[in-house]
Amino acid sequence: MRQKIIAGNWKMNNDKEETKSLINSLKSISFSKDVKVMIAPSYIHLSDAAEMLKDHKIDVLAQNMHFLNNGAYTGEISPQMLKSIGISKVILGHSERRIYYNETENSLKQKIKAAIESNFEIIFCFGEQLSDRKKGKHFDLIKNQLKIPLFHLESNSWKRIILAYEPVWAIGTGETATPNQVQEMHSFIRGLIKQNYNDDLANSISILYGGSVKSKNSKEIFSQDDVDGGLIGGASLDFSEFVKIIESI
Ligand code: 13P
């Protein structure tokens, strides 16, 4: 059975009080035990979040991290620092980091390697631009986005990987990929894992969809065979909307 996961990526939103209030509201809900709920607050609120959720089933993710444990890298945060505040889960490869901070397949390969060595669990994001899809290049592009950072890993390391397909054209735009487009890509991704490893591994990996997921479209997306949950941006900042999305899986 693949783990069902709903993760909220709060991006650069919510001040200290807003963060704590949203966490307290989420703590008051008892979600089905079949779904793993995760949240990724901004860096400066991770200590608060980790402390508040220490004995709780909701997991806390960092939104990014450096591949080294220390050094002269102004503004960066290391795996060791995250571990020291009780965080051992991280989002890597988000398209906003690829676009605005020039993250590449090679730099992500280094980050994945460091995350695995430090026993992190990773939500690895990837997705095509609209222009790639219009040219019919989306499958090749996704294949390349996965190949360099991930397909050199030992099978054992994949226990730490959760995949998140997030087509860039659907992020924050209100334009969601259709359930058929999502299923088609998720099935393609699972096929790539089969080709590079084996059926058992491919059938054990959770593949999430992200991009304008709202409570009005989540049920249909999550009901697709190869969709194991969602990585939710804007809608995860709204308590009742996020709860509805979690309950729709
Ligand atoms: P939206 O749900 O706001 O489109 O964002 C998706 C996303 O980027 C999650 O990482």
Side-chain angles (χ1 to χ4, degrees), residues 9 11 91 94-96 125 166 170-173 210-214 231-235:
N9 178 5
K11 307 190 181 183
I91 297 173
H94 195 282
S95 61
E96 285 147 18
C125 306
E166 299 203 306
I171 296 179
T173 57
S212 297
V213 176
K214 313 279 180 230
L231 182 54
I232 320 299

Side-chain angles (χ1 to χ4, degrees), residues 8-93:
N9 178 5
W10 293 356
K11 307 190 181 183
M12 195 176 72
N13 292 294
N14 285 347
D15 65 17
K16 186 178 173 84
E17 286 318 309
E18 288 162 339
T19 300
K20 288 170 108 171
S21 149
L22 189 46
I23 291 173
N24 275 327
S25 302
L26 290 169
K27 274 177 81 172
S28 70
I29 305 283
S30 52
F31 299 112
S32 153
K33 58 177 177 7
D34 294 341
V35 57
K36 169 72 31 219
V37 177
M38 301 181 177
I39 54 164
S42 84
Y43 257 118
I44 60 165
H45 306 312
L46 282 180
S47 275
D48 283 340
E51 191 58 37
M52 291 174 78
L53 293 167
K54 202 165 51 189
D55 300 315
H56 198 279
K57 309 201 280 337
I58 298 176
D59 287 343
V60 183
L61 294 150
Q63 297 178 15
N64 171 43
M65 72 180 187
H66 200 273
F67 59 90
L68 291 174
N69 272 330
N70 43 53
Y73 298 96
T74 302
E76 289 291 321
I77 309 285
S78 77
Q80 199 175 65
M81 290 171 182
L82 288 170
K83 277 287 175 81
S84 73
I85 58 162
I87 305 287
S88 56
K89 296 187 166 56
V90 65
I91 297 173
L92 292 176

